[in-house]
PDB file of all heavy atoms in Angstrom:
ATOM      1  N   LEU A 362       6.578  10.324   0.880  1.00 89.00           N
ATOM      2  CA  LEU A 362       7.359   9.114   1.175  1.00 89.00           C
ATOM      3  C   LEU A 362       7.778   8.410  -0.107  1.00 89.00           C
ATOM      4  O   LEU A 362       7.040   8.377  -1.093  1.00 89.00           O
ATOM      5  CB  LEU A 362       6.573   8.146   2.045  1.00 89.00           C
ATOM      6  CG  LEU A 362       6.312   8.570   3.495  1.00 89.00           C
ATOM      7  CD1 LEU A 362       5.469   7.506   4.191  1.00 89.00           C
ATOM      8  CD2 LEU A 362       7.602   8.804   4.251  1.00 89.00           C
ATOM      9  N   LYS A 363       8.959   7.800  -0.087  1.00 88.00           N
ATOM     10  CA  LYS A 363       9.418   6.952  -1.183  1.00 88.00           C
ATOM     11  C   LYS A 363       8.832   5.552  -0.964  1.00 88.00           C
ATOM     12  O   LYS A 363       8.592   5.151   0.183  1.00 88.00           O
ATOM     13  CB  LYS A 363      10.929   6.907  -1.218  1.00 88.00           C
ATOM     14  CG  LYS A 363      11.582   8.269  -1.406  1.00 88.00           C
ATOM     15  CD  LYS A 363      13.092   8.170  -1.304  1.00 88.00           C
ATOM     16  CE  LYS A 363      13.740   9.541  -1.416  1.00 88.00           C
ATOM     17  NZ  LYS A 363      15.208   9.481  -1.264  1.00 88.00           N
ATOM     18  N   PRO A 364       8.626   4.783  -2.033  1.00 87.00           N
ATOM     19  CA  PRO A 364       8.052   3.440  -1.855  1.00 87.00           C
ATOM     20  C   PRO A 364       8.803   2.558  -0.873  1.00 87.00           C
ATOM     21  O   PRO A 364       8.184   1.813  -0.110  1.00 87.00           O
ATOM     22  CB  PRO A 364       8.104   2.861  -3.277  1.00 87.00           C
ATOM     23  CG  PRO A 364       8.002   4.045  -4.171  1.00 87.00           C
ATOM     24  CD  PRO A 364       8.759   5.133  -3.454  1.00 87.00           C
ATOM     25  N   GLU A 365      10.145   2.620  -0.872  1.00 90.00           N
ATOM     26  CA  GLU A 365      10.895   1.767   0.038  1.00 90.00           C
ATOM     27  C   GLU A 365      10.742   2.182   1.497  1.00 90.00           C
ATOM     28  O   GLU A 365      11.150   1.447   2.410  1.00 90.00           O
ATOM     29  CB  GLU A 365      12.387   1.744  -0.339  1.00 90.00           C
ATOM     30  CG  GLU A 365      13.111   3.062  -0.113  1.00 90.00           C
ATOM     31  CD  GLU A 365      13.138   3.928  -1.340  1.00 90.00           C
ATOM     32  OE1 GLU A 365      12.265   3.752  -2.218  1.00 90.00           O
ATOM     33  OE2 GLU A 365      14.036   4.776  -1.440  1.00 90.00           O
ATOM     34  N   GLU A 366      10.123   3.342   1.734  1.00 93.00           N
ATOM     35  CA  GLU A 366       9.925   3.789   3.106  1.00 93.00           C
ATOM     36  C   GLU A 366       8.599   3.315   3.695  1.00 93.00           C
ATOM     37  O   GLU A 366       8.378   3.454   4.890  1.00 93.00           O
ATOM     38  CB  GLU A 366       9.987   5.325   3.176  1.00 93.00           C
ATOM     39  CG  GLU A 366      11.374   5.876   2.906  1.00 93.00           C
ATOM     40  CD  GLU A 366      11.422   7.391   2.897  1.00 93.00           C
ATOM     41  OE1 GLU A 366      10.504   8.030   2.327  1.00 93.00           O
ATOM     42  OE2 GLU A 366      12.381   7.950   3.472  1.00 93.00           O
ATOM     43  N   TYR A 367       7.735   2.723   2.863  1.00 92.00           N
ATOM     44  CA  TYR A 367       6.479   2.193   3.406  1.00 92.00           C
ATOM     45  C   TYR A 367       6.173   0.775   2.929  1.00 92.00           C
ATOM     46  O   TYR A 367       5.175   0.183   3.351  1.00 92.00           O
ATOM     47  CB  TYR A 367       5.300   3.118   3.083  1.00 92.00           C
ATOM     48  CG  TYR A 367       5.085   3.397   1.606  1.00 92.00           C
ATOM     49  CD1 TYR A 367       4.471   2.456   0.778  1.00 92.00           C
ATOM     50  CD2 TYR A 367       5.449   4.622   1.050  1.00 92.00           C
ATOM     51  CE1 TYR A 367       4.249   2.724  -0.571  1.00 92.00           C
ATOM     52  CE2 TYR A 367       5.231   4.897  -0.289  1.00 92.00           C
ATOM     53  CZ  TYR A 367       4.633   3.947  -1.089  1.00 92.00           C
ATOM     54  OH  TYR A 367       4.405   4.224  -2.429  1.00 92.00           O
ATOM     55  N   GLN A 368       6.987   0.206   2.079  1.00 91.00           N
ATOM     56  CA  GLN A 368       6.759  -1.164   1.610  1.00 91.00           C
ATOM     57  C   GLN A 368       7.605  -2.163   2.393  1.00 91.00           C
ATOM     58  O   GLN A 368       8.744  -1.877   2.714  1.00 91.00           O
ATOM     59  CB  GLN A 368       7.070  -1.272   0.118  1.00 91.00           C
ATOM     60  CG  GLN A 368       6.119  -0.490  -0.769  1.00 91.00           C
ATOM     61  CD  GLN A 368       6.464  -0.588  -2.232  1.00 91.00           C
ATOM     62  OE1 GLN A 368       7.498  -1.149  -2.617  1.00 91.00           O
ATOM     63  NE2 GLN A 368       5.632  -0.029  -3.089  1.00 91.00           N
ATOM     64  N   GLY A 369       7.033  -3.327   2.678  1.00 92.00           N
ATOM     65  CA  GLY A 369       7.765  -4.361   3.407  1.00 92.00           C
ATOM     66  C   GLY A 369       7.540  -4.260   4.895  1.00 92.00           C
ATOM     67  O   GLY A 369       6.441  -3.994   5.369  1.00 92.00           O
ATOM     68  N   GLY A 370       8.614  -4.479   5.666  1.00 95.00           N
ATOM     69  CA  GLY A 370       8.490  -4.509   7.128  1.00 95.00           C
ATOM     70  C   GLY A 370       8.191  -5.903   7.621  1.00 95.00           C
ATOM     71  O   GLY A 370       7.752  -6.782   6.858  1.00 95.00           O
ATOM     72  N   THR A 371       8.443  -6.140   8.908  1.00 97.00           N
ATOM     73  CA  THR A 371       8.219  -7.466   9.466  1.00 97.00           C
ATOM     74  C   THR A 371       7.114  -7.489  10.508  1.00 97.00           C
ATOM     75  O   THR A 371       6.648  -8.558  10.900  1.00 97.00           O
ATOM     76  CB  THR A 371       9.506  -8.017  10.101  1.00 97.00           C
ATOM     77  OG1 THR A 371       9.863  -7.236  11.245  1.00 97.00           O
ATOM     78  CG2 THR A 371      10.664  -7.987   9.111  1.00 97.00           C
ATOM     79  N   THR A 372       6.690  -6.324  10.974  1.00 98.00           N
ATOM     80  CA  THR A 372       5.566  -6.216  11.927  1.00 98.00           C
ATOM     81  C   THR A 372       5.080  -4.775  11.873  1.00 98.00           C
ATOM     82  O   THR A 372       5.616  -3.947  11.115  1.00 98.00           O
ATOM     83  CB  THR A 372       5.993  -6.608  13.354  1.00 98.00           C
ATOM     84  OG1 THR A 372       4.824  -6.704  14.188  1.00 98.00           O
ATOM     85  CG2 THR A 372       6.919  -5.553  13.964  1.00 98.00           C
ATOM     86  N   ALA A 373       4.053  -4.467  12.659  1.00 97.00           N
ATOM     87  CA  ALA A 373       3.532  -3.099  12.668  1.00 97.00           C
ATOM     88  C   ALA A 373       2.964  -2.770  14.041  1.00 97.00           C
ATOM     89  O   ALA A 373       2.629  -3.659  14.840  1.00 97.00           O
ATOM     90  CB  ALA A 373       2.455  -2.916  11.585  1.00 97.00           C
ATOM     91  N   VAL A 374       2.876  -1.470  14.299  1.00 98.00           N
ATOM     92  CA  VAL A 374       2.294  -0.951  15.541  1.00 98.00           C
ATOM     93  C   VAL A 374       1.226   0.060  15.160  1.00 98.00           C
ATOM     94  O   VAL A 374       1.441   0.928  14.303  1.00 98.00           O
ATOM     95  CB  VAL A 374       3.361  -0.280  16.424  1.00 98.00           C
ATOM     96  CG1 VAL A 374       2.701   0.488  17.576  1.00 98.00           C
ATOM     97  CG2 VAL A 374       4.341  -1.307  16.966  1.00 98.00           C
ATOM     98  N   SER A 375       0.046  -0.066  15.763  1.00 97.00           N
ATOM     99  CA  SER A 375      -1.030   0.907  15.558  1.00 97.00           C
ATOM    100  C   SER A 375      -1.462   1.414  16.933  1.00 97.00           C
ATOM    101  O   SER A 375      -1.883   0.639  17.793  1.00 97.00           O
ATOM    102  CB  SER A 375      -2.223   0.232  14.851  1.00 97.00           C
ATOM    103  OG  SER A 375      -3.264   1.168  14.642  1.00 97.00           O
ATOM    104  N   ASN A 376      -1.330   2.715  17.138  1.00 97.00           N
ATOM    105  CA  ASN A 376      -1.574   3.307  18.457  1.00 97.00           C
ATOM    106  C   ASN A 376      -2.730   4.286  18.384  1.00 97.00           C
ATOM    107  O   ASN A 376      -2.663   5.305  17.692  1.00 97.00           O
ATOM    108  CB  ASN A 376      -0.297   4.019  18.930  1.00 97.00           C
ATOM    109  CG  ASN A 376      -0.375   4.421  20.402  1.00 97.00           C
ATOM    110  OD1 ASN A 376      -1.465   4.528  20.985  1.00 97.00           O
ATOM    111  ND2 ASN A 376       0.777   4.660  20.995  1.00 97.00           N
ATOM    112  N   LEU A 377      -3.807   3.990  19.109  1.00 97.00           N
ATOM    113  CA  LEU A 377      -4.957   4.896  19.217  1.00 97.00           C
ATOM    114  C   LEU A 377      -5.115   5.428  20.627  1.00 97.00           C
ATOM    115  O   LEU A 377      -6.153   5.975  20.981  1.00 97.00           O
ATOM    116  CB  LEU A 377      -6.238   4.178  18.776  1.00 97.00           C
ATOM    117  CG  LEU A 377      -6.325   3.778  17.288  1.00 97.00           C
ATOM    118  CD1 LEU A 377      -7.637   3.057  17.009  1.00 97.00           C
ATOM    119  CD2 LEU A 377      -6.208   5.007  16.402  1.00 97.00           C
ATOM    120  N   GLY A 378      -4.053   5.259  21.418  1.00 95.00           N
ATOM    121  CA  GLY A 378      -4.107   5.717  22.821  1.00 95.00           C
ATOM    122  C   GLY A 378      -4.338   7.197  22.954  1.00 95.00           C
ATOM    123  O   GLY A 378      -4.991   7.648  23.910  1.00 95.00           O
ATOM    124  N   MET A 379      -3.828   7.994  21.997  1.00 94.00           N
ATOM    125  CA  MET A 379      -3.998   9.444  22.102  1.00 94.00           C
ATOM    126  C   MET A 379      -5.450   9.881  21.973  1.00 94.00           C
ATOM    127  O   MET A 379      -5.799  11.003  22.326  1.00 94.00           O
ATOM    128  CB  MET A 379      -3.140  10.162  21.040  1.00 94.00           C
ATOM    129  CG  MET A 379      -3.542   9.912  19.595  1.00 94.00           C
ATOM    130  SD  MET A 379      -3.161   8.234  18.998  1.00 94.00           S
ATOM    131  CE  MET A 379      -1.371   8.287  19.009  1.00 94.00           C
TER     132      MET A 379
END
Side-chain angles (χ1 to χ4, degrees):
L362 290 178
K363 301 174 183 178
E365 68 267 23
E366 292 177 317
Y367 57 77
Q368 293 179 354
T371 66
T372 190
V374 170
S375 181
N376 191 340
L377 294 179
M379 66 288 293

